[in-house]
């Protein structure tokens, strides 16, 4: 609902200008022309592991095209409070991640199937044990909001394995 309200307000130039100012202040280059870097100085691991972490960090920035799309990535995260990427792996697993595809957060939902079981611990003690049976994402190109009606997780769509989606939140839930 918050996203929809922002997108409606985005037509107002004052709000658009304020968001642009925040994004421009957050994403800027240092003297070396870098937008972002990883600092591993306080990490207590060997230099070989630090080098591998740095190499992978550089690879992720390349996959995201962060030099070209950094402003857009941050803007989407700032406005929506979350990002979703579909992780495309190479057919040869040793080659790792081939591509990261952005997914509009209004078009994807996480589904958690649970099983409830009543457990007795004596004559008067009773509890309900809740266990997650399956987790996955549902992608629907039409989205999950139709006018004022929010469609639940049973909506048809493409079912995607939980491990294939990268989900980044702002940490704020309200």
């Amino acid at each position: 609902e918050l996203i929809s309200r922002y997108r409606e307000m985005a037509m107002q130039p004052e709000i658009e200008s304020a968001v642009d100012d925040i994004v421009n202040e957050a994403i800027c280059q240092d003297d070396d022309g870098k937008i972002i870097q990883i600092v591993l100085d306080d990490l207590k691991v060997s230099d070989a592991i630090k080098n591998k972490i740095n190499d992978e960090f550089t690879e992720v920035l390349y996959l995201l095209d962060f030099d070209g799309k950094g402003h857009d990535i941050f803007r989407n995260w700032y406005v929506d409070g979350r990002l979703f990427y579909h992780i495309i792996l190479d057919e040869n697993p040793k080659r790792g991640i081939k591509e990261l595809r952005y997914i509009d957060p209004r078009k994807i939902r996480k589904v958690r199937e649970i099983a409830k079981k009543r457990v007795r611990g004596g004559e008067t003690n009773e509890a309900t044990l809740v266990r997650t049976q399956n987790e996955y994402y549902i992608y629907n190109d039409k989205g999950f909001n139709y006018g004022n009606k929010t469609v639940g997780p049973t909506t048809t769509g493409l079912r995607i394995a939980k491990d294939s989606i990268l989900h980044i939140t702002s940490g704020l839930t309200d």
Side-chain angles (χ1 to χ4, degrees), residues 53-110:
I53 292 171
N54 197 27
D55 291 345
E56 292 303 319
F57 180 76
T58 302
E59 178 66 16
V60 168
L61 291 178
Y62 170 77
L63 289 169
L64 290 171
D65 186 18
F66 202 82
D67 287 338
K69 296 180 182 175
H71 281 81
D72 295 334
I73 292 170
F74 183 81
R75 181 184 185 85
N76 287 337
W77 175 82
Y78 183 75
V79 170
D80 297 333
R82 58 196 171 157
L83 292 174
F84 290 90
Y85 283 93
H86 187 196
I87 303 168
I88 309 296
L89 297 176
D90 196 290
E91 290 180 15
N92 180 351
K94 291 184 180 182
R95 291 187 193 149
I97 298 172
K98 182 178 177 181
E99 184 181 351
L100 294 172
R101 291 185 188 162
Y102 174 75
I103 300 173
D104 186 333
R106 296 170 294 172
K107 297 181 179 184
I108 192 165
R109 289 258 169 94
K110 187 173 188 176

Side-chain angles (χ1 to χ4, degrees), residues 110-141:
K110 187 173 188 176
V111 176
R112 182 176 290 130
E113 295 174 354
I114 60 170
K116 294 182 180 180
K117 181 179 179 181
R118 295 192 90 111
V119 180
R120 289 186 164 227
E123 290 182 25
T124 58
N125 293 337
E126 194 173 283
T128 302
L129 180 64
V130 178
R131 197 177 94 212
T132 301
Q133 285 187 315
N134 197 9
E135 288 182 300
Y136 54 90
Y137 287 89
I138 294 279
Y139 174 80
N140 186 331
D141 193 37

Side-chain angles (χ1 to χ4, degrees), residues 153-168:
T154 58
T155 302
T156 59
L158 179 64
R159 189 173 172 164
I160 304 172
K162 181 178 92 167
D163 295 343
S164 296
I165 299 295
L166 174 63
H167 181 206
I168 306 153

